[in-house]
């Protein structure tokens, strides 16, 4: 692993304000080895300001789960990168499979959002991944290639401090079915190849996270998989013991 491992918790549409603040407070007290792992919380929009405040002075990061590509305007229900930045948010998940499949986000729209996040000097956690049908039809590489190429179209250079990629096979999200080590290694290797082709040498350092039913029982094995630089976690990031256990396992591996 070339970079410090990253553990990002995507809360999706979970936790009230009180629950969220109490949760990060507990994690903050339990995680002592922060310098070995970068931990990022991605709560719903309405909690962002308070969570940033609750984590003030710590090395924990805070990310949003989406952003609109325009900086302002008549877009009811949306939020801009500028607004997120003004709250102290550092990361934005872009192109999550739930945004793509439930809310109809296209690669072109995702590309606009990626540019907006770069322009606003926040860090995108850019999600890609194939559906079960894609995999069964042996189209995994084609889909990943397509999503990265279109998602990063018009981006001239990338920097490991400014971009995170998350490989999340759609069939592994929230299903309890994790991709096998070989599947993860192959997909992450392919992502690196695409980035090398598009951006040359520096792309080798871009962190690539795995997401899809990561939990305390599979984290140790997954983090040792070639090409895995951390995790984007849904369900298990909502539970204090599970999330802390995953962080501890990644920390211990990183020490070795
Ligand atoms: P689960 O960890 O619940 O499978 O969710 C993964 C995910 O979608 C993170 O963005």
């Amino acid at each position: 692993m070339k970079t410090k491992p990253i553990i990002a918790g995507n809360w999706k549409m979970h936790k009230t304000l009180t629950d969220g603040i109490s949760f990060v407070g507990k994690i903050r007290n339990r995680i002592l080895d922060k310098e070995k792992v970068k931990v990022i919380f991605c709560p719903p929009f309405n909690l962002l300001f308070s969570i940033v405040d609750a984590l003030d002075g710590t090395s924990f990061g805070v990310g949003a789960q989406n952003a609109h590509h325009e900086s302002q305007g008549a877009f009811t229900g949306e939020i801009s990168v500028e607004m997120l930045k003004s709250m102290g948010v550092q990361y934005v998940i872009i192109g999550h499979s739930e945004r793509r499949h439930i809310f109809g986000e296209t690669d072109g729209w995702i590309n606009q959002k990626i540019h907006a996040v770069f322009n606003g000097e926040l860090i995108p956690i850019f999600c890609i991944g194939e559906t079960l049908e894609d995999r069964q039809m042996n189209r995994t590489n084609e889909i990943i290639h397509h999503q990265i190429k279109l998602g990063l179209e018009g981006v001239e250079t990338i920097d490991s401090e400014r971009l995170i990629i998350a490989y999340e096979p759609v069939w592994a999200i929230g299903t309890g079915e994790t991709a096998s080590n070989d599947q993860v290694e192959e997909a992450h290797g392919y992502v690196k190849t695409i980035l090398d082709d598009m951006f040359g040498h520096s792309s080798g350092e871009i962190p690539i996270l795995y997401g899809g039913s990561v939990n305390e029982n599979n984290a140790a094995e997954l983090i040792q998989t070639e090409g895995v630089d951390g995790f984007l976690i849904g369900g298990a990031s909502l539970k204090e013991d599970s999330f802390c256990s995953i962080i501890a396992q990644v920390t211990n591996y990183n020490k070795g």
Side-chain angles (χ1 to χ4, degrees), residues 172-233:
I173 295 178
T175 58
E177 194 180 339
T178 319
S180 71
N181 286 26
D182 285 350
Q183 288 169 329
V184 175
E185 185 173 335
E186 195 185 335
H188 283 227
Y190 189 58
V191 171
K192 280 199 192 300
T193 306
I194 299 165
L195 294 175
D196 279 348
D197 281 353
M198 288 176 75
F199 300 102
H201 189 63
S202 65
S203 64
E205 303 290 331
I206 300 293
I208 306 174
L209 314 185
Y210 169 75
S213 297
V214 176
N215 60 43
E216 62 274 38
N217 301 316
N218 57 29
E221 202 180 335
L222 280 165
I223 198 65
Q224 295 179 52
T225 303
E226 179 75 26
V228 173
D229 300 310
F231 302 128
L232 180 56
I233 307 169

Side-chain angles (χ1 to χ4, degrees), residues 7 14 23 31 34 37 39 54 82 86 100 123 131 133 136 144 161 171 173 184 205 216 220 231 237 247:
I7 309 285
H14 291 285
F23 184 80
I31 304 300
K34 296 193 272 265
V37 180
V39 177
E82 209 166 279
S86 73
R100 292 176 187 266
I123 302 170
T131 62
E133 193 187 354
Q136 285 169 341
I144 290 176
E161 301 288 316
W171 49 272
I173 295 178
V184 175
E205 303 290 331
E216 62 274 38
F231 302 128
S237 78
I247 295 168

